[in-house]
Amino acid sequence: MSPAARRLATSLGVNIDAVSGTGPQGAVTINDVEHAAAAKPAAPKPVAQPGTKPTAADRAQQMRKSIAAAMSRSKREIPHYYLAEEIMLEKSLSWLTTRNAQRSIDERVLPAVLLLKAVGVAAQRFGEFNGFWREDGFEPANGVHVGVGISLRGGGLVAPAIHDVPEKKLDELMDDLTDLVARARSFSLRSSEMSDPTITVTNLGDQGVDAVFGVIYPPQVAIVGFGQPAERVCVIDGGIRVVTTVQGTLAADHRASDGHRGALFLAAINELLQQPDLLEK
C-alpha cells in the first residue's frame, strides 16, 4: 500500500487488512480504498429518546420533507398555468409615503400590506381563485384568508393565513402580518392559520428577483407572486419615464379557471394598486 492510500484509509476509517488490492502485485491503491469506503455500511443514526425535544436541524429536515411532499403532489395533480403583469407602483408608494409621514415608526405600513389587501379584494371579486379543489370539483371558500409565504431563519418555508383580508383596514393587516412573521419564526403558529389559507401570496422582492412563479399549495387553486420593486423605463402617454414597477404573477389551476379570467384577476390587482386610498377602507 502506498503512503497516500494508507493516509486515505486512516482518514476514512477503512480497515487496511480487509481491503483487496488491484494494483501491481496486489498493491492496494487509492481507488481500492475509496471503493472499500463506499461499500462500508453506514453508521446507524441515533434514535431520539422519548421525551427529547427536536432540534432545529430535526425541524428543518422534517419541514423539507413536508414541502417536498406537498410540491410533488401539486406538480403531479394540478394542471398549472402561469400569467404575469407589470404593475406600476408610483401611486401606491407615493400615497403610502404621505400616509406614513403622519404616523410614528411603529404605526407605519409596509408596501407588502398594500399588495396583500389588493390580492384579497381581487380574490373576493374573482371567486374561482379563492377556494379548494376537492373530490374532483371546485369548492369556493366562505371568506378570503390569504396565506403569506414566510421564509424561516433556519431554512424552510411556511404560508400561514391572515383571515378575512378584504374586511380589514391596513393598520390591522400590518399588525397581523408582524405578529404572524414573529410567531412563524418562533414555531408558535396556530393550526388554523396553517390549514385555513384560501389563496397564497409569495413575495421574494427582498431577495432581489424580478419575478417569482409559485407552485400552488393543494388543495388551493391559485398563488400570486410579487418580485422586487425596481425603477424601469416605461412608455406612458406617449412619453418615456422612469417609474417604479413590480412584476405580479399568477399560477392557477386550469381545472378551476382559465387564462382569460386569470388575466382579469391580475388586472384587478393592478387597478386596485392604482387607487390605494380605496384599499384603506
Side-chain angles (χ1 to χ4, degrees):
M1 177 180 286
S2 70
R6 189 178 297 277
R7 285 195 298 271
L8 180 62
T10 302
S11 65
L12 296 178
V14 172
N15 181 3
I16 297 172
D17 296 331
V19 180
S20 299
T22 60
Q25 299 179 355
V28 175
T29 66
I30 289 177
N31 196 44
D32 296 330
V33 174
E34 289 174 341
H35 278 99
K40 237 186 12 170
K45 293 184 178 179
V47 178
Q49 297 300 316
T52 58
K53 188 176 180 180
T55 66
D58 293 334
R59 286 195 295 263
Q61 184 181 36
Q62 186 57 47
M63 180 170 292
R64 289 254 59 94
K65 288 181 179 178
S66 299
I67 292 172
M71 296 301 96
S72 295
R73 175 191 167 194
S74 175
K75 297 300 285 186
R76 184 174 62 249
E77 297 180 1
I78 300 176
H80 288 62
Y81 69 87
Y82 303 93
L83 301 173
E85 179 163 350
E86 189 167 34
I87 299 172
M88 292 191 183
L89 289 180
E90 292 286 292
K91 291 181 180 178
S92 286
L93 295 179
S94 176
W95 177 85
L96 195 58
T97 298
T98 302
R99 182 187 186 278
N100 284 340
Q102 304 167 7
R103 289 167 167 76
S104 62
I105 292 178
D106 57 354
E107 293 178 328
R108 293 175 184 173
V109 169
L110 295 175
V113 172
L114 281 179
L115 301 178
L116 289 174
K117 182 68 178 284
V119 171
V121 174
Q124 193 174 50
R125 297 178 185 174
F126 293 82
E128 63 265 51
F129 300 97
N130 185 62
F132 313 98
W133 188 267
R134 291 186 177 128
E135 304 294 335
D136 294 323
F138 176 67
E139 179 184 308
N142 294 325
V144 180
H145 310 316
V146 179
V148 183
I150 301 172
S151 59
L152 305 179
R153 293 190 181 93
L157 178 77
V158 292
I162 296 179
H163 294 92
D164 303 310
V165 168
E167 285 75 42
K168 291 183 175 177
K169 294 184 180 296
L170 295 180
D171 289 330
E172 292 180 86
L173 289 177
M174 185 68 217
D175 290 342
D176 286 350
L177 180 60
T178 302
D179 175 63
L180 205 63
V181 171
R183 288 190 294 106
R185 290 176 175 168
S186 63
F187 299 96
S188 56
L189 291 168
R190 292 184 284 272
S191 59
S192 61
E193 292 168 331
M194 295 302 298
S195 60
D196 283 356
T198 58
I199 185 172
T200 295
V201 171
T202 181
N203 186 347
L204 295 182
D206 59 346
Q207 301 300 313
V209 296
D210 288 331
V212 52
F213 291 87
V215 179
I216 301 167
Y217 195 93
Q220 297 171 45
V221 295
I223 180 170
V224 177
F226 293 103
Q228 179 186 38
E231 290 187 340
R232 297 181 175 91
V233 178
C234 299
V235 178
I236 302 174
D237 298 328
I240 295 177
R241 285 181 54 196
V242 177
V243 295
T244 301
T245 69
V246 67
Q247 287 288 332
T249 64
L250 170 69
D253 188 336
H254 233 318
R255 298 171 299 182
S257 65
D258 55 38
H260 174 68
R261 292 292 290 176
L264 293 176
F265 176 57
L266 272 183
I269 295 172
N270 190 348
E271 181 184 354
L272 287 162
L273 289 169
Q274 307 316 310
Q275 307 172 75
D277 53 316
L278 297 180
L279 297 174
E280 177 79 87
K281 300 175 182 179

